[in-house]
Amino acid sequence: MIVHDCIQGDPSWFEARLAIPTASCMHRILTPTLKPAAGMRTYAYELIAEALIGEQADSGGGEFMARGTEMEPEAVAWYELHRDVDTQTVGFCTTDDGEVGCSPDRLVGDDGLLEIKCPSAKVFVATMMGENEHAHRCQVQGQMWVTGREWCDLVIYNPILPPMVTRHTVDPEWVAAFESALATFQGILISGAVKLRDLGIEPEFRPDWWPEDEPNYGALDAPGPVVPEPVEDKSQGIADMVRKQREARKGER
């Protein structure tokens, strides 16, 4: 894990997470029921667009993200008192290769994470009734996958209702399904970048997953607008290569 020194929500934080998949959006790669997400390709195109323009396509979190930011210190204070622990703020974390990231609300000791959700009263009640059992599964599992931490306490907090704490540990079944889906997702990213590169289109910001090979400017020899010819989708072959590389790295550890 690499920890990037920044404050969540500041410009440096947005810069650190630019054009890479993050835990808060892992449900767009893998569903909570461990199926490849239908919107995977759309998410990949969003990240490619961020690389091209050099800024986040959409940095707005909406009313409930603002609510969570406002209530977070109160929820953290309650958790620390309730669990008799100290927590540590953290900016942005990435895997060692810098290709996937997350922003845990807090680090807990050497092995734990804290993630806080501050829903409305009606959503809180639905959660108490068990209707949102897997709502945050991908995010908390994704944070553990990125950071290498062993557990994550998920706090559902509302100031007028009794807080809920659920401890999640690493789920090997989720990890296997996610790594397979991630390889497919990275195949879409890389193949899209290769197509753009071969048209002579270079990104404003180059994330770690962007291919380094020299572009093929032959497509730009003729005057007038570039009209790309249909290109075979090679994302599956790239995904298979990503899977093999990940298995090789595991074998080296």
Side-chain angles (χ1 to χ4, degrees), residues 137-212:
R137 182 184 190 186
C138 292
Q139 183 175 7
V140 298
Q141 289 292 331
Q143 289 182 354
M144 289 185 285
W145 187 86
V146 169
T147 63
R149 298 248 161 171
E150 297 178 2
W151 54 266
C152 177
D153 276 350
L154 175 64
V155 174
I156 309 298
Y157 187 83
N158 185 296
I160 61 175
L161 294 168
M164 298 173 57
V165 183
T166 306
R167 176 158 295 190
H168 297 256
T169 55
V170 175
D171 180 353
E173 185 180 9
W174 184 92
V175 170
F178 173 70
E179 290 185 347
S180 177
L182 178 63
T184 300
F185 179 77
Q186 290 176 322
I188 297 170
L189 282 177
I190 296 169
S191 64
V194 167
K195 290 178 183 179
L196 294 172
R197 180 201 65 192
D198 288 345
L199 291 172
I201 301 173
E202 289 296 295
E204 184 72 20
F205 169 77
R206 186 180 293 273
D208 288 340
W209 52 262
W210 197 278
E212 293 289 347

Side-chain angles (χ1 to χ4, degrees), residues 51-100:
L52 290 179
I53 65 177
E55 62 184 45
Q56 285 206 316
D58 180 14
S59 59
E63 175 185 351
F64 281 99
M65 179 171 285
R67 170 190 172 94
T69 301
E70 180 181 345
M71 291 186 178
E72 182 178 304
E74 183 178 335
V76 170
W78 176 88
Y79 174 82
E80 290 182 335
L81 180 64
H82 179 73
R83 289 298 173 96
D84 191 24
V85 296
D86 293 322
T87 64
Q88 177 186 348
T89 58
V90 64
F92 188 66
C93 305
T94 60
T95 50
D96 290 340
D97 59 14
E99 294 187 357
V100 186

